[in-house]
Amino acid sequence: MSRKLTIKAFKYNPLSKISKPHFVTYELEETPFMTVFVCLTLIREKMDADLSFDFVCRAGICGSCAMMINGVPKLACKTLTKDYEDGVIELMPMPAFRHIKDLSVNTGEWFEDMCKRVESWVHNEKETDISALEERIEPEVADETFELDRCIECGICVASCATKLMRPNFIGATGLLRTARYLQDPHDHRSIEDFYELVGDDDGVFGCMSLLACEDNCPKNLPLQSKIAYMRRQLVAQKNK
Amino acid sequence: MNIQYSDALVIGGGLAGLRAAIEVAKSGQSVTLLSICPVKRSHSAAVQGGMQASLGNGAKGEGDNEDLHFADTVKGSDWGCDQEVARMFAQTAPKAVRELAAWGVPWTRVTKGPRTVVINAQKTVIEEKEEAHGLINARDFGGTKKWRTCYIADATGHCMLYGVANEAIKHQVKIIDRMEAVRIIHDGKKCLGVIARDLINGQLIAYIARGTMIATGGYGRIYKQTTNAVICEGTGAAIALETGLCRLSNMEAVQFHPTPIVPSGILLTEGCRGDGGILRDVDGYRFMPDYEPEKKELASRDVVSRRMMEHIRKGKGVKSPYGDHLWLDISILGRAHVEKNLRDVQDICKTFNGIDPADEGPKGWAPVLPMQHYSMGGIRTKPTGESQWLDGLFACGEAACWDMHGFNRLGGNSCAETVVAGMIIGDYFAQYCKNNGEVVDTNIVKEFLSKEYQYLKSLVDKEGKYNVFEIKNRMKEIMWDKVAIFRTGEGLKEAVDELEKLYKDSQDVKVHCKELDCANPELEEAYRVPRMLKIALCVAYGALLRTESRGAHYREDYPKRDDLNWMKRTNTYWVEGETLPRVEYEELDIMKMEMPPAFRGYGAKGNIIENPLSEKRQAEVDAIREKMEAEGKSRYEIQDALMPYELQAKFKKPNQRIGVDYE
């Protein structure tokens, strides 16, 4: 029943003077429900201990293992080998982020910068008394905020984005979703003017070309396009005031 | 020589470390936080079900308070916990949830009016009070008297972690990710900081601070079958052990969770059973009521895990290429409930097993088997979070044995502990850093740096005999086969002997890639695996010596909980150059307990070797309570008379609840 898989992995160490970008091919036996996580772990343990890649949760919730899988950015831990008919899988690091080594890219620094740019925290002047009853929130409103809070900062929308590749400073769908998330959250007292200051330019919401790859590839099925459109309408209205 | 200074240093970027770092930043001091991965990828993100806090908002939480939460936690721990710490925790937990709400964590809220829930496999309608509308809701979890687990669908940890990490960024915590602490710098008495290795360029950097905190999580990856993320290797606790001074406590107390999915080991939350999901065997039969008529699927985790294994041993497991398993059925909750409240569970089942758990009948049942889940043991600390043996070293969260979980942790109490301990210990830590000036002899730092460089160089230079991955996998198998849910003296002895040999072998491995100044995954294994083996030896050796069964530690040759001989904590430490840990014990004083040892209310009855002090203390407690109640004293005054405990005033303040205000 089982078949042979061919994994072609990109290898390159930018810190080495002699390393050159190249592919290495590994062959392994497929097992039921095999994921790219399982493949890469086996490759490191049995064939190439030096291959660099990132996994943390291996369950599709932490966002560490996003990489280009046959040209499409995906979470490697959630990618099943059986979905590749010819059994050939080509792995590359995601573009748009600083390359660390082989399949590993630096999403951490990018996302910390994004969080600082959109001031990704609740803005609220009042002091909370944590011994007293919490502020009441309508249940549907809390649920809607949760829907937008589900981004795992995997970077797939960023790597999918043609605007980001042409305009390095573009905040990406994830950054715009974050603004929509805080605009939606009743705990955050920022006005639409405040958000205009943060993302009301071509590096923000007006740079998006609506190519939709961000939403197509998002592993959490987040409503990226409708939220970008929503923010754009809000900010255009603000500009025309 | 690269030396970085800050007032405080935190190792580990999960909920505990981040929350503690915020507390330091708020005190006006500089704080650096090192994390092996981007902090929002920490294992805290994997918390699905929720966080216990006695808010008492929902109809099924009515009447809940700190006293009940405390009692459940002590019983859950099988009387192994520090009761003063459990008190500190129960008092602060409601504050932690409310603070997170103010930081934007989108807790699921109460909707007034009737709603349908599943209790004991029956659809039941409960009525939510008008005055609770819009307040934070809670779901049911194992081992608790009330529905107390606050949640956000089944992505609670994700939302909490993002809320706390964003707040840390706001407070300008200096977060440095892909930076691994590899050695604690100390002068034999005081901790000065750590040597860290940059996982991008391989550089060694000394981080020096007035106080250092380890919040690196648990050690589940020493087991073959675990729900833990691949980074949970216990190496943070191991570097504390390697000082030769710090003690790791109760390392044999390892929790197994009843419902990870087979074979990947990804967890399906306890919320599945809390919300009404049930376990079935090979015949589709619901077996838990036969074993635990009262609590059924919602007895505490150690009990449910053992009952499942017991049932499999009776031949009632489902055969599969990955061994026998049982079924988890959540389809009885209805598709709408699964798709809203257990969405990640559904996603996991679909992706990794091709099952839609909302499908009714056997088609939707998920294969589950108990696997390693949580580490109750860790770096032993005082209630302030500071090590008793090394000044200036603090520990917090799963990496610590603070010790509020004893020998078994209740679901929903670990992510609660991370933020609560982050607040309480974070505050003590901040005070410590403020009160202790810098006394750093850079010669010591220099010496540690050069020693570490020599060590790493020796690892790549050595033409060793062994493959580090083979050693690691063998360790995981030994732990799973011989130091797991059911333990025997014979098996544990074999495990200790074989682990000791593996530890010796781990000093003689061959690293193929010789480069020191870049990411080098094999080198990383070469220095981590010996540390993991030290942790594994502490677990196996502690388990071998503990000739009783308590909480998750179950000895088939000593099936009784032995309060007469084993009301004590195992403290292990490691003398450099030796190949086994040394063990000493710390007594738990029954005469100081607010709740002396008794039956837990689930699991087999009469399975205790009693300590006469329990009865004596219980009589004392009853007398004090009776007298003070007759005098009309408040529950706070009575509690204080029974077991006074220290806690910062801001956390000790009473918590407001609907219906009872601050009473």
Side-chain angles (χ1 to χ4, degrees):
Chain A
M1 287 291 280
S2 83
R3 59 173 181 164
K4 198 149 266 170
L5 290 175
T6 305
I7 309 284
K8 293 183 189 172
F10 178 83
K11 288 198 80 175
Y12 174 54
N13 177 8
L15 293 176
S16 156
K17 287 196 176 70
I18 51 165
S19 174
K20 287 204 169 65
H22 64 291
F23 281 92
V24 177
T25 301
Y26 312 93
E27 290 202 334
L28 49 143
E29 207 67 23
E30 190 174 37
T31 55
F33 285 101
M34 196 172 208
T35 62
V36 174
F37 162 68
V38 175
C39 294
L40 286 173
T41 306
L42 280 173
I43 289 169
R44 188 188 276 171
E45 287 183 3
K46 296 193 191 304
M47 300 171 216
D48 184 357
D50 183 42
L51 182 64
S52 288
F53 49 79
D54 297 315
F55 288 99
V56 175
C57 77
R58 60 78 177 90
I61 51 148
C62 82
S64 298
C65 62
M67 58 182 74
M68 304 302 284
I69 302 181
N70 284 5
V72 182
K74 289 166 99 69
L75 293 179
C77 71
K78 274 186 88 176
T79 302
L80 296 164
T81 55
K82 74 173 169 59
D83 294 338
Y84 295 85
E85 261 174 36
D86 58 0
V88 180
I89 299 172
E90 183 189 87
L91 305 174
M92 290 183 74
M94 283 197 296
F97 298 98
R98 194 151 64 97
H99 187 221
I100 292 175
K101 187 175 160 237
D102 305 340
L103 304 172
S104 178
V105 295
N106 201 333
T107 50
E109 64 173 6
W110 192 91
F111 277 99
E112 188 169 337
D113 179 59
M114 180 279 279
C115 287
K116 287 177 178 159
R117 280 174 65 189
V118 303
E119 300 182 9
S120 171
W121 51 83
V122 164
H123 289 55
N124 190 333
E125 293 308 310
K126 64 174 194 218
E127 190 74 27
T128 307
D129 175 1
I130 56 175
S131 298
L133 285 190
E134 60 274 18
E135 187 182 334
R136 285 170 201 272
I137 304 291
E138 276 305 312
E140 305 79 54
V141 173
D143 288 351
E144 280 163 33
T145 307
F146 167 58
E147 287 303 317
L148 305 185
D149 203 41
R150 292 169 52 244
C151 169
I152 56 172
E153 298 193 351
C154 61
I156 283 176
C157 60
V158 179
S160 304
C161 178
T163 302
K164 169 71 178 82
L165 298 182
M166 291 187 292
R167 187 186 280 282
N169 211 32
F170 182 55
I171 195 78
T174 175
L176 297 170
L177 181 81
R178 200 56 65 81
T179 60
R181 183 242 176 270
Y182 284 101
L183 187 59
Q184 138 79 37
D185 188 341
H187 293 100
D188 196 314
H189 293 174
R190 273 180 286 185
S191 65
I192 195 72
E193 291 89 338
D194 296 328
F195 286 106
Y196 190 89
E197 289 299 316
L198 295 173
V199 292
D201 60 13
D202 283 356
D203 285 332
V205 80
F206 300 120
C208 169
M209 299 187 290
S210 303
L211 296 174
L212 303 177
C214 53
E215 184 159 326
D216 287 349
N217 292 330
C218 174
K220 302 301 279 186
N221 300 313
L222 291 165
L224 298 171
Q225 273 310 312
S226 57
K227 287 300 156 189
I228 292 172
Y230 172 75
M231 289 306 291
R232 189 151 47 198
R233 285 198 304 277
Q234 294 286 316
L235 298 185
V236 167
Q238 175 59 32
K239 195 181 184 184
N240 292 337
K241 242 187 210 170
Chain B
M1 191 167 66
N2 191 344
I3 304 183
Q4 301 288 325
Y5 296 90
S6 52
D7 294 325
L9 176 65
V10 176
I11 315 299
L15 278 169
L18 285 165
R19 183 60 192 83
I22 292 170
E23 206 62 29
V24 179
K26 286 204 297 194
S27 74
Q29 302 178 83
S30 64
V31 51
T32 301
L33 183 146
L34 310 183
S35 173
I36 206 163
C37 64
V39 291
K40 287 174 182 166
R41 313 230 184 281
S42 304
H43 189 48
S44 302
V47 174
Q48 294 173 3
M51 152 170 185
Q52 282 203 45
S54 57
L55 296 178
N57 292 328
K60 289 296 212 173
E62 209 173 332
D64 201 6
N65 62 25
E66 301 83 10
D67 296 348
L68 297 181
H69 191 183
F70 165 76
D72 285 342
T73 302
V74 173
K75 278 185 197 171
S77 81
D78 220 352
W79 277 272
C81 74
D82 181 330
Q83 296 195 6
E84 287 180 39
V85 168
R87 267 290 171 195
M88 295 164 79
F89 162 72
Q91 184 66 24
T92 311
K95 296 179 175 69
V97 175
R98 286 169 169 166
E99 179 183 76
L100 292 171
W103 290 355
V105 174
W107 298 109
T108 300
R109 301 283 171 150
V110 178
T111 306
K112 64 186 170 193
R115 69 175 173 124
T116 306
V117 296
V118 175
I119 301 173
N120 192 19
Q122 298 293 320
K123 286 216 163 96
T124 313
V125 176
I126 58 176
E127 178 87 16
E128 296 292 0
K129 295 180 295 283
E130 169 106 36
E131 67 264 36
H133 185 77
L135 295 177
I136 295 167
N137 208 349
R139 59 166 39 137
D140 199 10
F141 253 39
T144 67
K145 277 232 162 56
K146 301 281 177 185
W147 291 21
R148 189 186 295 132
T149 305
C150 306
Y151 66 103
I152 305 130
D154 55 358
T156 312
H158 165 84
C159 293
M160 288 171 68
L161 182 62
Y162 273 56
V164 173
N166 286 329
E167 199 69 14
I169 295 172
K170 170 186 158 184
H171 284 285
Q172 289 162 355
V173 172
K174 190 174 179 190
I175 295 172
I176 303 173
D177 64 32
R178 293 178 188 267
M179 186 64 77
E180 179 178 10
V182 287
R183 195 74 62 182
I184 288 174
I185 309 169
H186 64 90
D187 59 9
K189 276 177 76 177
K190 191 177 178 324
C191 174
L192 308 176
V194 302
I195 305 287
R197 181 172 170 273
D198 186 322
L199 294 171
I200 297 175
N201 64 23
Q203 249 191 42
L204 290 178
I205 302 165
Y207 287 90
I208 302 302
R210 299 168 179 203
T212 302
M213 171 180 283
I214 295 190
T216 49
Y219 44 86
R221 283 277 157 181
I222 61 172
Y223 282 90
K224 183 177 164 194
Q225 304 281 17
T226 174
T227 64
N228 283 196
V230 297
I231 53 170
C232 302
E233 300 193 314
T235 48
I239 59 171
L241 183 71
E242 286 183 338
T243 59
L245 302 163
C246 296
R247 267 59 169 166
L248 303 187
S249 282
N250 287 352
M251 295 297 280
E252 66 271 32
V254 176
Q255 180 169 75
F256 297 82
H257 192 292
T259 60
I261 199 162
V262 176
S264 65
I266 297 168
L267 185 67
L268 305 181
T269 171
E270 183 158 322
C272 292
R273 282 170 293 132
D275 288 1
I278 57 173
L279 294 165
R280 297 181 187 276
D281 66 11
V282 65
D283 307 318
Y285 175 70
R286 184 188 178 198
F287 58 92
M288 275 309 292
D290 297 351
Y291 294 98
E292 297 294 330
E294 206 178 315
K295 299 290 283 186
K296 305 177 181 75
E297 279 85 355
L298 288 172
S300 77
R301 288 178 177 174
D302 58 323
V303 173
V304 179
S305 294
R306 273 197 299 277
R307 296 303 198 186
M308 290 169 74
M309 297 309 286
E310 208 177 321
H311 202 60
I312 288 175
R313 282 180 171 189
K314 285 183 185 162
K316 293 293 181 184
V318 183
K319 301 260 175 281
S320 88
Y322 306 99
D324 290 5
H325 64 76
L326 295 158
W327 300 113
L328 174 68
D329 178 5
I330 58 170
S331 68
I332 60 168
L333 306 177
R335 181 167 289 277
H337 181 95
V338 171
E339 290 185 347
K340 177 161 186 277
N341 288 315
L342 297 167
R343 181 160 45 181
D344 275 358
V345 168
Q346 186 184 35
D347 192 30
I348 290 161
C349 291
K350 278 185 171 173
T351 307
F352 296 99
N353 290 63
I355 295 165
D356 181 354
D359 284 345
E360 281 182 37
K363 210 176 132 200
W365 299 349
V368 292
L369 185 71
M371 296 184 191
Q372 193 286 340
H373 181 58
Y374 186 82
S375 317
M376 270 80 71
I379 301 166
R380 180 78 190 119
T381 73
K382 305 180 228 180
T384 56
E386 192 183 2
S387 166
Q388 288 92 328
W389 297 276
L390 186 59
D391 288 352
L393 184 80
F394 287 70
C396 188
E398 194 175 347
C401 182
W402 185 28
D403 160 21
M404 65 164 272
H405 303 302
F407 274 74
N408 175 64
R409 169 180 74 77
L410 294 180
N413 258 357
S414 72
C415 77
E417 183 195 9
T418 59
V419 279
V420 169
M423 293 162 79
I424 298 171
I425 295 176
D427 186 71
Y428 284 126
F429 178 55
Q431 294 310 319
Y432 178 93
C433 295
K434 214 166 225 175
N435 296 339
N436 285 271
E438 258 162 271
V439 271
V440 177
D441 179 351
T442 37
N443 286 320
I444 298 179
V445 180
K446 221 189 262 180
E447 204 179 298
F448 268 84
L449 261 173
S450 102
K451 216 171 136 187
E452 198 56 32
Y453 177 78
Q454 290 309 324
Y455 170 62
L456 295 179
K457 187 146 177 17
S458 75
L459 286 179
V460 291
D461 286 347
K462 188 177 289 172
E463 285 303 314
K465 265 200 284 192
Y466 300 100
N467 175 311
V468 71
F469 295 101
E470 283 168 16
I471 291 178
K472 186 179 183 179
N473 287 333
R474 183 66 202 132
M475 165 190 72
K476 288 167 173 242
E477 278 166 17
I478 295 168
M479 293 304 289
W480 183 244
D481 292 343
K482 293 174 180 165
V483 201
I485 300 175
F486 293 106
R487 302 168 175 183
T488 64
E490 195 185 347
L492 290 168
K493 180 77 182 64
E494 286 166 15
V496 170
D497 291 347
E498 207 178 335
L499 288 168
E500 188 182 9
K501 179 178 180 303
L502 278 182
Y503 174 69
K504 289 177 191 160
D505 293 351
S506 75
Q507 312 294 305
D508 190 26
V509 298
K510 179 176 171 152
V511 176
H512 297 82
C513 172
K514 307 290 181 196
E515 287 184 72
L516 280 176
D517 43 10
C518 66
N520 183 344
E522 195 183 13
L523 169 65
E524 284 145 27
E525 293 294 333
Y527 63 72
R528 286 175 195 160
V529 168
R531 288 183 186 142
M532 293 176 78
L533 278 158
K534 284 181 177 166
I535 296 287
L537 274 162
C538 289
V539 175
Y541 197 43
L544 173 64
L545 299 183
R546 184 174 282 271
T547 49
E548 66 152 355
S549 292
R550 184 179 299 274
H553 170 68
Y554 190 81
R555 286 283 299 261
E556 291 189 273
D557 42 356
Y558 295 92
K560 292 195 174 183
R561 189 181 90 200
D562 183 354
D563 291 348
L564 202 56
N565 298 301
W566 285 102
M567 286 307 293
K568 46 192 170 192
R569 228 166 252 133
T570 308
N571 289 347
T572 45
Y573 63 105
W574 201 285
V575 177
E576 202 183 328
E578 295 190 357
T579 55
L580 274 182
R582 293 198 194 175
V583 176
E584 60 190 23
Y585 291 96
E586 184 187 337
E587 295 288 334
L588 297 174
D589 188 352
I590 293 176
M591 293 312 288
K592 282 192 176 156
M593 289 180 183
E594 186 176 334
M595 264 180 72
F599 173 58
R600 291 163 87 192
Y602 38 75
K605 284 196 178 120
N607 218 13
I608 305 169
I609 298 173
E610 282 174 29
N611 188 318
L613 289 177
S614 287
E615 205 176 322
K616 190 174 169 206
R617 175 61 181 159
Q618 189 61 54
E620 266 184 22
V621 167
D622 293 344
I624 295 170
R625 186 178 292 282
E626 200 179 328
K627 179 167 176 284
M628 291 186 79
E629 276 173 1
E631 289 167 1
K633 302 283 190 201
S634 73
R635 68 183 175 94
Y636 298 107
E637 289 168 303
I638 297 173
Q639 194 286 316
D640 192 51
L642 293 174
M643 187 188 69
Y645 66 97
E646 293 290 320
L647 182 62
Q648 296 94 327
K650 59 181 174 179
F651 301 131
K652 202 163 185 180
K653 264 176 75 176
N655 297 301
Q656 192 183 21
R657 293 181 181 84
I658 49 168
V660 294
D661 208 22
Y662 288 95
E663 289 310 305

